Structures are given as structure tokens and as C-alpha cells.
């Protein structure tokens, strides 16, 4: 239980990241940005719930169906934590989510999987990109909001299940890899295009992203962030046996 | 914390209902009947999860959608408790569920709601009939299985939400009541016809129901049980403003 005296070697967070919610939320623009973020994340979880429950129908076996239903249920619990948080800071959750409904609905509509494997790749890619993005943003958030965002991103557990199934399918029939690689590329393109639309529409959120509110963010840094996310995606696809 | 000495006034359970699982399961036919029951219940929960998640798409508002997603997630947790129990008694859950998949899938396919209100009535009616049936059966089960069956039937909470919404819709437009009454009748008919198919197919389960294993059950009692369930359904429909 010793705490070594090395505080000077690993500097703690500074700026907003060093503040709790009560302190940081005094700034109305920061507050609005966080409400946007929680609203987007909550609607994202609800949409993911719907999508996974829908994809469960494509499952080849009862055990696979149960696995997807489990993931869907986990997303629903994240949704609940996020809407509970919105309620706790006196924001009506529906109002906070609505601005993001169209972009997320459009994303899901335009990337409806045509079979079980496409559904798995989508669950994996979508979940990974979302995690990467929110983890990047989380580092710039006040300590209370950061804990919540990291907690709901922590235990989705889509990864292993999807990776295992997709790898086995490619091994059994290598042509499947080419088709799924194209699919993963389409998912990434569609996700980026919807993300751009959201950033263009939501002043508070995008101001936070380009450094107007949270410190340490500027336009070049946003560019680097998207590079990191795209790179991580490419690595994941390679690990999956798909050329991204 | 006093326990009044009135054991003679309210006699405790007798026969299998007085035994725990370890004792009752020595009889292989009883064991097979319980595996059937848990398998049917588990698949029913998984199918209900899928159905509710699907119906969430018909929700007129984001809040309604979240409410249905919540119900779906609750069903999934029941599913998990039941499959965990099957695993604990060394039965592979998938194998236990499979014999009931067709009847439940057919039921859901033939009663796909065409709108939000039909979906709500179905959730309410289906849940109520299933609860009534399993509660009747539970009284004849060993104490461990009974506790589990009662626990997973306890907190679905579909009732109030559906009743409130359907009543409001009938008040706003009384013609809706006639259409939904027909729909409820169709649901009941389809449920009975699938139940009969299951009973005809599954020896262990039906033997238990007609008294071959669990005591206190005979054919006349099964008839009375179905009467009680139908009566309860009629009363619920009347309370909902629907002539059953």
C-alpha cells in the first residue's frame, strides 16, 4: 500500500482534466459540449443495441444468437448509465440524444449487414472506432465525465468473439476475406462521413474538439487524432486477416 | 423475527413441492421434465428479447423505444439465469432449448405486430399468459426450481407501461379498441395452438403436466388450469378496454 513519492516524475492531469464536473461545468460552453457528448454516446448505445439485436437474427446457431443478444444487452446497460448521468446533471436525456439520432440512424441504415459475418465485422469495427474516439476525447474531459465515458467503453467484449468467428470463416474460405475487407472499408468511410456531419452541425461539441473549450486540442491535433484512429483500424483489420 | 407456531394451520407443500432439486431429480423422468421446462422458458425469453428489440423500432418516440429496449434487456437477463441453471445441473442449454425453438419461432412469425400498439398488446398478453402458466406449473416443482421460475417471472414490468399506452390510444380513438380486441384474440388462439403442439411433442413435459410425475396433476386439473388462464386473460383484456 506504499505510494512512492514520484509525483514530479509523472505529472498529473492539468486544465479541465484536473477538474471535477462541478468545477468544469461552471463554463456553459464546456457544459454544453459534455451534454452533446453524452447525448451522442447514449444514442449510439441505443442504436447499437437495436443493431445487435437485429443481427442476432442472422446467427447461424442458437449459441451465436445468445452471444449477440448478450452484447446487445450490455449496450443497453451503457445506455442506461449515460441517460442516468444526463438526468443527474438535470438534462432531459431525449433532448440530448435527438440531435444525433439522424446521423447514427443513417449510418446504420446505410451499413445494414447482408449476412452474419458482415454483422460481426460491423460490430467489431464500429465498436473499436467508437472506443478509440471516445478514449481520445476522454483524456480532455473533467474527471467525473471521464470516469463514466471510460467505464461504458470498457466491457463491451465484442472483440474476441467477432475476431474468432471471422478468422475461422476466412480460414475455411479465403475469398471471404476479400469481400469483408471491402465491407470494412465501406464501414470506415461511412462512419467518417457521418462524424463530419455531426461536427459540422454541433457547435459546442466541435468547438471542444478544436480546442475552443477543452485545452490541448487544436485543429492539427484533431487531424492527428483521426490519423491515430485510422491507423489503429488498419492494424486491427490486418490482425483479422483483412487488408484494410 | 418471531415465527408463530401455526404450521398446522397452513400446511406446507407436500410431495415434490416439499423436496429440493437434489432429492427430486433422482427420478429421471422428473429431471427430464424440468430440463424441458427450463429449456422452453429459456428459449421463450430469448425469443421475447428478439421480439421486443424488433418492436422497439416501431416506437413513436425515443423514450418509448428506450422503454422497450429496457424490457428486452430484462428478458435477456432471465434467459441468462435459466441457461446458467441448466449449465449448473450439467445440461447443455442449446440442446435443452432446441426442441422448443420451432413452436416459439412460429408463434412469433405468425403474430408479427403491424404497428406499435399491436406490439404493446402482444408484449402484455404474451407476458401475462406465460406468467400465469409458469406460476401454475411452479407450484408443482421442487423448491429450487420453483424459486428460479418465480424469480424470472417476477420483474418483467411490461404490464403498466403497455396498459397505460394502450388505454390512452383507445381513449383518443375508440375504433382502435375493436381492432386490438381482435388482435388479442388471435394471439390467444395462436398461443394455445403452439402450446398444444409442444405438449404433443414433448413426452416428459406433458407427462408431468398430466400427473405422471409431479403429484396433484391430472387431466381434469390441466383443463381447469387452462380455464383459469383463459379467464385471467379475459379479465385483463376487459381492464384494458378490450372485449376479449
Amino acid at each position: 500500500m506504499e505510494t512512492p513519492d514520484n509525483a514530479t516524475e509523472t505529472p498529473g492531469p492539468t486544465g479541465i482534466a484536473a477538474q471535477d464536473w462541478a468545477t468544469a461545468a461552471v463554463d456553459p460552453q464546456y457544459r454544453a459540449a459534455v451534454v452533446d457528448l453524452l447525448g451522442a454516446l447514449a444514442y449510439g448505445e441505443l442504436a447499437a443495441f437495436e443493431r445487435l439485436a437485429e443481427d442476432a437474427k442472422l446467427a447461424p446457431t442458437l449459441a451465436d444468437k445468445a452471444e449477440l443478444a448478450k452484447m446487445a444487452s450490455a449496450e443497453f446497460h451503457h445506455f442506461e448509465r449515460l441517460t442516468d448521468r444526463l438526468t443527474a446533471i438535470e438534462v432531459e436525456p431525449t433532448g440530448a440524444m435527438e440531435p444525433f439520432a439522424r446521423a447514427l440512424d443513417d449510418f446504420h441504415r446505410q451499413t445494414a449487414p447482408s449476412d452474419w459475418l458482415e454483422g460481426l465485422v460491423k460490430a467489431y469495427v464500429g465498436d473499436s472506432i467508437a472506443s478509440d474516439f471516445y478514449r481520445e476525447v476522454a483524456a480532455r474531459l473533467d474527471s467525473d465525465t471521464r470516469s463514466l465515458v471510460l467505464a461504458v467503453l470498457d466491457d463491451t467484449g465484442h472483440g474476441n468473439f467477432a475476431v474468432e468467428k471471422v478468422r475461422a470463416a476466412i480460414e475455411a474460405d479465403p475469398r471471404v476475406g476479400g469481400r469483408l475487407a471491402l465491407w470494412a472499408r465501406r464501414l470506415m468511410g461511412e462512419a467518417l462521413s457521418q462524424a463530419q456531419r455531426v461536427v459540422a452541425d454541433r457547435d459546442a461539441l466541435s468547438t471542444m474538439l478544436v480546442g475552443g473549450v477543452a485545452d490541448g486540442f487544436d485543429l492539427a491535433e484533431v487531424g492527428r487524432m483521426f490519423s491515430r484512429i485510422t491507423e489503429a483500424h488498419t492494424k486491427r483489420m490486418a490482425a483479422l486477416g483483412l487488408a484494410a
Side-chain angles (χ1 to χ4, degrees), chain A residues 48-221:
Chain A
F49 162 86
E50 276 196 290
R51 223 41 243 181
L52 287 166
E54 173 89 16
D55 293 352
K57 279 194 253 165
L58 302 167
T61 70
L62 203 42
D64 289 332
K65 187 193 284 272
E67 195 62 40
L68 243 66
K70 185 182 186 153
M71 291 179 195
S73 181
E75 305 286 11
F76 180 75
H77 291 300
H78 298 159
F79 166 77
E80 279 193 315
R81 287 191 68 171
L82 292 158
T83 52
D84 284 353
R85 175 76 182 146
L86 283 163
T87 305
I89 62 171
E90 283 164 15
V91 175
E92 205 278 296
T94 305
M97 289 189 278
E98 251 152 17
F100 306 99
R102 218 179 114 197
L104 280 153
D105 287 349
D106 282 357
F107 171 73
H108 284 298
R109 198 169 13 246
Q110 291 184 8
T111 59
S114 67
D115 65 14
W116 169 242
L117 289 173
E118 287 191 2
L120 284 183
V121 169
K122 179 174 169 180
Y124 178 58
V125 167
D127 200 57
S128 309
I129 295 174
S131 291
D132 285 350
F133 172 71
Y134 286 112
R135 246 178 259 283
E136 293 268 359
V137 175
R140 273 88 181 171
L141 295 170
D142 67 274
S143 55
D144 295 317
T145 309
R146 182 170 62 243
S147 309
L148 174 67
V149 168
L150 293 178
V152 300
L153 292 175
D154 207 35
D155 62 345
T156 49
H158 296 174
N160 292 342
F161 177 76
V163 167
E164 196 186 294
K165 297 281 169 180
V166 172
R167 273 217 192 115
I170 296 174
E171 234 162 77
D173 178 2
R175 285 167 308 172
V176 165
R179 175 168 70 85
L180 292 180
L182 276 176
W183 170 245
R185 212 151 13 193
R186 204 177 119 209
L187 289 170
M188 189 63 169
E190 196 60 41
L192 286 175
S193 113
Q194 294 299 338
Q196 276 169 341
R197 198 167 113 189
V198 167
V199 167
D201 279 0
R202 302 302 297 174
D203 282 350
L205 192 59
S206 48
T207 305
M208 180 170 83
L209 288 177
V210 297
V213 179
D215 38 41
F217 250 84
D218 58 28
L219 210 47
E221 176 53 25

